[in-house]
Amino acid sequence: MSPVAPKPVHVVQLYPRDMNIYGDFGNALVLKQRLAWYGYEPVMHSYDPGDEFPEQADILIGGGGQDSGQDTIQADLLECGDRLRALAEAGTPMLMICGLYQLFGHYFQTRSGSRIQGIGVLDVTTYGTDERLIGNVVVESEEFGRIIGYENHSGQTRLGAEVQPLGRVSKGAGNDADSGYEGARWRNVLGSYLHGALLPKNPAVADFLIATAVQRRYGDSLGALDAPQLGPVSLTELTEKARVTAASRPR
Amino acid sequence: MSLRTTLSAVVGKSARAAVRLRGGSGSAFPGLLVEKLDPGFLARTLTTLPYGVVVVSGTNGKTTTTKMVVELLRGQGLRVFTNRSGSNFSRGVAASLLGDMRITGGFEADIAVLELDEAHAVHFVKQVPPRYCLLLNVMRDQLDRFGEIDTTAGMLRAIAEATTEGVVLNREDPRVAAIAEALTDQQVRYFGLGEAVKHHFPSDDDLHSADLHDSPSHHTASPGARSDSASSHHARSDSAAVETSPTSAVSGDLQHQARTTKQVAADVVLTGLGTQEGTFRIGGEEITTPLRVNGAYNTYNAAAALALVRLALGEDRDNTALLRSLAEVSPAFGRGESLTVGGQPLDLVLVKNPAGFRLGLSSFPHAGTATMIAINDNYADGRDMSWLWDVSFGLLAAGGVRMVSGVRAYDMALRLVYDDVAVAAVEPDLASALDSFIAEHPDEPKRIYCTYTAMLTLRRELARYTEVEAFA
Ligand SMILES: [Zn+2]
């Protein structure tokens, strides 16, 4: 085999120090591994408040945090707003979970009526409640098929006209207690409440992020996944079995 | 004893007997009954004890630490009341109390040592202010129940504030150490870790950017700007020398506090770990003692227990007897429990949150041991499986994992595979998994990491192979 020039793909994890609760790290790990298994060279960046923003950002991901974590990053996020909106506008694939999903919207209105400003990449608004939406979630999505995860949030998110929901819940709450929608999509930016982590059990979403990135960066269409078989069955089969179990568990 | 206390004791004891006859565990129901009939029962009974009430709380290690405190105090000749049934509620305490009471309501103990979980302790300490408390840690445990880690820290603070005499805090847990700032009247003592053992205790907030960024292609956005990623590398990378304290990599507001706060002196410091032994610096003196408990975090619990007992007894103590008792303490149910199956040791290690799992993995050597992991997601385990993604399993990569079991076996196997850890077999059914794990590795020591309900089932199944102590 002739040596192939490495094709780096830069993944930027937003605020991993403060916004990484409930396994959001798993999303970064899955992107790193699958990029390699698709033959690309993953270059992982973490961006925390005050850091210099990575020059190259092919995929952006972000997670949820404690209230204290959100306070810590909010000012920095607003400062990065223009850059992040430009990246989103240009079609950069992004996945924002929970806390950062909320802050990628227009604002988060607390129960006392004060507003925590978001960066408005997604046309969504979130309202604090004293009801915690918690438990296993199953979402039916036209684009990604069945999405499986776990939610834990008390903010409820309303979608504006500019965004599409990620899907409809068939188990659990999703964005709020009554709309039946989960998540939001605008261009290639996905927002979702689902932890799990989301990407390990939903490789269709991971591959969407990767395929979009390599298309934009190299004009490539995604080839076959060459994952080493480390389990008694293939990665695909392990994933499918984990999905089936998760979907069957009590809320 | 007042007439009312006697009556409550009689009513409660009858209910307890009735529950026993019907085959129940006699745990919470009689306590509930007494609580309804006589809400002051607990406070009246416990506050008469000459050494008062001691409370142990925190997310990890309460049961083992409580057991240690109890045995250390008994070794000093004290009569100790404790809530050993594992019921963490006021009701459970009332029930245990009834069990220990004579039918006339007479109650012979010098001190009560109570293990209370965070949420219930807050309610409990309002009724019964403890004289001393020991606060172990705040880890990401069962967030689906308590909501947020900062909420849990707030609960521990409330316990400390309700404590009348003295509070013992984990110096290495920034959220626990920060509780000292809220205290004005109480004495505050600490237990802590020496530099040489810190790498065994990755903090909950050391997340895994380390593993992600291990690839040679990694470059940070601002090289050298911060030490975080460096310290979490160390924390995660086995036994390599560690210069940076793992506690410097914490998240949120506390981060800045942890960095600017000078390290306070601790009364008891764990300075060295050996096989079934620990070295402690106790009030300035360095002592190495054999231990029956194993693993780094059980040994650290011993430091916590020592600090509490030293504070609670003051000068009234026999230090030699204290160390003798410490050496004799056996681990609490399932916490580093060693059985023998087919002439080979089989260790059960309870894992219930990322920090506990990480501690479990870094506490034991893996070479030459067959590893099994069993993960359930029943209510008592926590339904959310996200936490598995907050544990790095790289330490298992060399030997692989021989068996993965439990309701969430496939989630666990998927997790391992994404960490490049080979998985030999996956069998969700615990009994069949255990049988083949034992049958296929007859000549090797074995270790099973398991969640709470998986452990209950495995212990039941292990009784077919060896004697397993009943879980009282
Ligand atoms: Zn969340």
Side-chain angles (χ1 to χ4, degrees), chain A residues 2 12 30 38 64 68 77 89 121 123 133 151 154 158 191 213 230:
Chain A
S2 62
V12 179
V30 166
Y38 279 117
S68 62
L77 179 68
E89 190 83 39
V121 168
D123 179 18
L133 303 174
E151 66 185 322
S154 53
R158 309 271 170 203
L230 290 166

Side-chain angles (χ1 to χ4, degrees), chain A residues 10 13 16-18 20-26 28-30 32-34 37 41-49 51-54 65-69 71-72 132 134 136 150 152 195-197 199-201 203 228 230-233 235 237-239 241-242 245-246 249-251, chain B residues 140 143-151 175 205 207-222 225-226 228-229 250-253 255-256 259 377-378 383-387 389-391 407-408 410-411 413-426:
Chain A
H10 293 250
Q13 219 184 334
R17 202 173 67 201
D18 298 302
N20 58 18
I21 200 168
Y22 308 116
D24 293 321
F25 158 78
L29 177 64
V30 166
K32 179 190 177 202
Q33 291 284 47
R34 293 182 82 86
W37 295 337
E41 182 197 0
V43 185
M44 309 302 291
H45 302 263
S46 50
Y47 174 79
D48 287 305
D51 285 353
E52 197 180 309
F53 205 91
Q66 300 289 331
D67 292 346
S68 62
D71 297 344
T72 308
R132 194 161 273 273
I134 190 163
N136 286 305
Y150 191 94
N152 186 351
H195 303 285
L199 295 184
K201 283 203 288 290
L230 290 166
V233 295
L235 177 72
E237 203 176 321
L238 274 185
T239 308
K241 289 188 152 142
T245 308
R249 297 301 291 155
R251 167 95 167 127
Chain B
R140 288 183 185 174
L143 281 159
D144 38 342
R145 261 174 267 173
F146 296 144
E148 298 218 348
I149 197 164
D150 295 333
T151 309
R175 289 185 182 84
D205 290 311
L207 280 184
H208 315 256
S209 40
D211 296 337
L212 280 177
H213 296 161
D214 274 339
S215 69
S217 55
H218 164 60
H219 52 274
T220 54
S222 50
R226 271 203 332 274
D228 292 35
S229 78
V250 300
S251 71
D253 304 338
Q255 171 133 10
H256 310 292
R259 289 208 183 129
D377 68 348
N378 296 314
R383 293 236 180 267
D384 187 358
M385 285 295 105
S386 304
W387 66 283
W389 294 89
D390 282 334
V391 181
V407 176
R408 292 291 197 137
Y410 286 101
D411 272 77
L414 192 61
R415 175 69 194 91
L416 290 168
V417 164
Y418 270 108
D419 255 356
D420 299 321
V421 177
V423 175
V426 185

